[in-house]
Amino acid sequence: MTTEAIGAGETRPHPKGERRARVLGSRPWLATLLPLALYVALSLGLFGVPVIPHLGSQIIASDAIDASAFMWLLAWWPHALLHGLNPFVTHAMFVPDGFNLTWSTGMPGPSLLLAPITLAFGPAVTWNIIQLASPALSAWTAFLLCRHVTGRTGPSLVGGYIYGFSPYMLTHLTGGPHLALVPLLPIFLLLVLRRLEGSIGSRAFVVWMALAMIAQFSISTEVLATATLFGAFALLLTLALLPERRAAVLGVVKLLTLALAVTVVAVSPYLLYLEFGHHYPPGVTFFSADVRSLVVPPALVALAHHRGVPAIGSSTESYLGVPLVILIAWFTWQGRRRRVTWVLAGSLAIALILALGATVFVHGHVTSIHGPWWLFRQLPILRYAIAVRFAVFYLLPAAVMVAMLLSRWSLREPRGAAAWGLAALAVVFIVPDVGSSAFDTPIADPPFFASGTYKAYLRPSDNVLTIPAWGQNERWQADTNFRFNLSDGYLGNPFPPAFTRYAAWNMFVSGRLTPDYAAQLRRYVKDKRVTAVVVDRTVPGPWTKLFGTLGVRPVATGGVLLYRLPRR
């Protein structure tokens, strides 16, 4: 599947395009960086306007709970390395038991890369930078892939937007940066194409592919695992449909295997803790794409007619839109006699089938049709993957297909005008709901933490039970440079069994007291070696009644109630 095989005979330059190509060709760096600047401007305009003036107090997210956990993780990795701590296991949260962070979405790569920003300005600023960079970088690398295939800038810009600003991206900009930061997926495919063409040597291919895999592992192990599965299917399809390229494809498979082996060696310390440390598997992984969601505008796009509760069968993550579906069908029909067309269409279909999960849903109803996802439930890492997230893998071939279709005709030709018109509609159908609260959440620490008052009351050796027990408290700890330990917290669903087995834990989370609440609280405080309790006074609940049983008078300061417990 070389560039020549994909694009030969499909583009016809016209005079204006040739003049533009000569100008940009004399400055290749300009032709490469200008699209990035365009995508950055789009990201800032679509998502950044509300938060840029308040990078440390407003975040691109739908809530502060998951975001606070990510901010904690962004601060943890540089903190651990600077203080000589084991970065894979923390004892700063869920004390005294600790937590195996290889079972969380820690993003060690971005955390360390952006550590200077985190240390200087705080994790909220780092969070916003990642959220703003994710669509721009992902669109840009998809543009580079599309341009490599088509040799055309305009169509490739459209392909880049379809991938980088897709509804999949909108979903994870609300609180999943490890899933939104996907610029490496187009790079994987670009490297494979270049190797098949022979424009990159075997050694360079292995080095660059291994580096890309390691980088992706440091962002999201799930995305790397699902990319490996999808890539295997796509390569098998290529072997079946392009027998004349079989030797070259098999050569790439061997090099990919070598790059993957290098990656495994490089990340082996992480994998050892993942396999042999305490396991904290995710509790809910059954989400899959509803067939209707492919064409029903979801709540996060501007064209959606519904707000609040999503329409039955709608899902932002798996949404394509009617115009994009028509473009995909048009590309497939127009190139139906070319095998490369079926490689792309087949790859898209494979990803779509995987996204539908183990059982197919239509309009919110379970059908009797079973998908292949149950086959992967016993595989490492993949058994915890969420099926609907395979949407990113059908968006990538869709973006390439649109770029190729737009490259086939001049805009002056009727078919070219029709294709560009549909492409414009496809973009309109996925434009985000700008200004939505899903992309703008204010955050604020109580003055007790924000003003530094905590320094007069909390010691570095303190084990602090906080209310809320999860969510903002992780951000408090990160913002204070891990001044104290947390006797509660949140690093992914579900909570550790060592904590949920206590009736007191359920009281902290739900705000509902048990009949023997005093005894249950004393048991928790003793077993978890709690030395202080900090209650945010804005959090409703029976906290005065509950913690009043500790027999100590609280100190009201900086918007919190502080209960200092005697050391035992």
Side-chain angles (χ1 to χ4, degrees):
M1 191 168 63
T2 66
T3 303
E4 291 80 4
I6 292 176
E10 294 187 359
T11 63
R12 287 181 289 169
H14 41 86
K16 187 179 292 186
E18 288 179 338
R19 287 195 299 272
R20 188 182 301 115
R22 283 196 297 270
V23 172
L24 293 177
S26 64
R27 298 178 182 177
W29 59 269
L30 190 62
T32 298
L33 294 181
L34 276 179
L36 175 59
L38 173 62
Y39 292 134
V40 168
L42 280 172
S43 184
L44 291 173
L46 294 173
F47 310 110
V49 172
V51 303
I52 287 175
H54 315 283
L55 283 176
S57 59
Q58 283 184 256
I59 56 173
I60 301 172
S62 60
D63 64 70
I65 294 177
D66 284 335
S68 292
F70 276 103
M71 287 183 227
W72 188 96
L73 290 160
L74 289 170
W76 166 257
W77 285 89
H79 170 81
L81 295 183
L82 287 173
H83 291 81
L85 304 175
N86 181 352
F88 302 118
V89 177
T90 183
H91 291 281
M93 188 185 294
F94 294 119
V95 292
D97 304 81
F99 193 91
N100 181 0
L101 294 174
T102 62
W103 283 88
S104 67
T105 50
M107 299 181 70
S111 299
L112 296 175
L113 182 65
L114 298 174
I117 294 172
T118 304
L119 295 172
F121 304 106
V125 175
T126 304
W127 166 279
N128 281 325
I129 288 174
I130 291 174
Q131 295 291 80
L132 289 170
S134 292
L137 289 176
S138 301
W140 182 55
T141 56
F143 161 81
L144 295 177
L145 171 65
C146 292
R147 188 181 64 176
H148 185 82
V149 171
T150 67
R152 299 280 296 276
T153 298
S156 300
L157 286 171
V158 176
Y161 184 92
I162 286 172
Y163 175 76
F165 291 83
S166 64
Y168 168 91
M169 180 66 66
L170 303 185
T171 300
H172 298 298
L173 286 181
T174 64
H178 63 304
L179 300 169
L181 192 59
V182 287
L184 290 171
L185 299 184
I187 296 299
F188 290 152
L189 182 52
L190 181 57
L191 286 171
V192 169
L193 287 177
R194 290 197 58 191
R195 180 57 201 151
L196 287 172
E197 297 165 2
S199 61
I200 185 173
S202 300
R203 184 177 301 177
F205 174 82
V206 171
V207 169
W208 285 113
M209 183 60 76
L211 288 174
M213 288 179 174
I214 293 167
Q216 183 59 68
F217 185 94
S218 76
I219 298 170
S220 170
T221 54
E222 178 185 341
V223 171
L224 180 59
T226 51
T228 302
L229 177 64
F230 171 73
F233 279 125
L235 286 169
L236 286 172
L237 186 65
T238 305
L239 285 170
L241 294 178
L242 300 178
E244 70 280 5
R245 303 293 298 166
R246 193 163 293 165
V249 174
L250 287 174
V252 168
V253 170
K254 293 176 183 177
L255 296 178
L256 284 170
T257 304
L258 179 57
L260 188 59
V262 172
T263 301
V264 170
V265 172
V267 303
S268 56
Y270 192 108
L271 293 175
L272 288 172
Y273 278 95
L274 180 71
E275 180 62 27
F276 299 109
H278 285 291
H279 287 202
Y280 302 105
V284 180
T285 60
F286 59 78
F287 300 105
S288 59
D290 190 298
V291 173
R292 190 169 179 264
S293 70
L294 297 174
V295 294
V296 176
L300 292 180
V301 302
L303 283 183
H305 295 295
H306 52 276
R307 295 291 183 270
V309 179
I312 295 175
S314 71
S315 169
T316 305
E317 198 163 2
S318 52
Y319 174 67
L320 290 173
V322 172
L324 182 53
V325 171
I326 293 173
L327 284 168
I328 292 168
W330 187 1
F331 170 86
T332 305
W333 175 257
Q334 203 273 338
R336 63 191 182 280
R337 293 185 177 87
R338 304 180 68 249
R339 292 182 179 180
V340 168
T341 298
W342 294 105
V343 171
L344 284 168
S347 298
L348 187 151
I350 288 169
L352 177 58
I353 291 170
L354 291 172
L356 293 175
T359 305
V360 176
F361 284 75
V362 180
H363 194 54
H365 301 293
V366 182
T367 70
S368 59
I369 303 172
H370 295 285
W373 189 244
W374 61 272
L375 292 171
F376 310 113
R377 288 181 173 173
Q378 303 305 315
L379 297 178
I381 299 179
L382 281 171
R383 62 177 157 223
Y384 304 118
I386 294 176
V388 70
R389 294 175 180 171
F390 271 91
V392 71
F393 298 108
Y394 61 69
L395 281 164
L396 188 54
V400 174
M401 293 163 88
V402 169
M404 291 174 63
L405 185 67
L406 295 179
S407 299
R408 287 176 177 171
W409 308 290
S410 164
L411 186 58
R412 297 177 181 178
E413 298 178 73
R415 286 185 296 180
W420 276 97
L422 268 176
L425 281 176
V427 169
V428 168
F429 270 59
I430 63 173
V431 166
D433 184 11
V434 179
S436 168
S437 60
F439 308 119
D440 179 17
T441 296
I443 58 172
D445 295 345
F448 180 76
F449 294 107
S451 66
T453 305
Y454 69 90
K455 295 177 183 178
Y457 294 92
L458 297 179
R459 296 182 289 265
S461 60
D462 273 327
N463 298 334
V464 182
L465 169 63
T466 64
I467 298 295
W470 64 306
Q472 297 95 312
N473 59 341
E474 296 115 59
R475 192 178 68 250
W476 300 344
Q477 188 185 41
D479 286 343
T480 60
N481 198 26
F482 299 89
R483 165 83 178 195
F484 53 89
N485 301 318
L486 278 174
S487 296
D488 46 19
Y490 173 68
L491 286 169
N493 185 42
F495 298 109
F499 286 75
T500 56
R501 66 186 178 91
Y502 288 87
W505 177 265
N506 294 322
M507 291 191 293
F508 304 151
V509 173
S510 68
R512 294 189 295 270
L513 302 184
T514 62
D516 58 343
Y517 63 89
Q520 293 296 342
L521 175 61
R522 287 194 297 271
R523 178 187 173 213
Y524 185 94
V525 165
K526 178 183 177 182
D527 289 357
K528 300 308 178 186
R529 305 169 194 171
V530 176
T531 61
V533 177
V534 175
V535 179
D536 184 345
R537 300 182 75 174
T538 65
V539 178
W543 312 123
T544 302
K545 180 180 180 180
L546 174 62
F547 295 114
T549 63
L550 294 173
V552 296
R553 185 183 297 275
V555 176
T557 178
V560 306
L561 291 177
L562 172 71
Y563 297 80
R564 165 62 63 183
L565 306 184
R567 290 187 177 273
R568 300 179 183 275

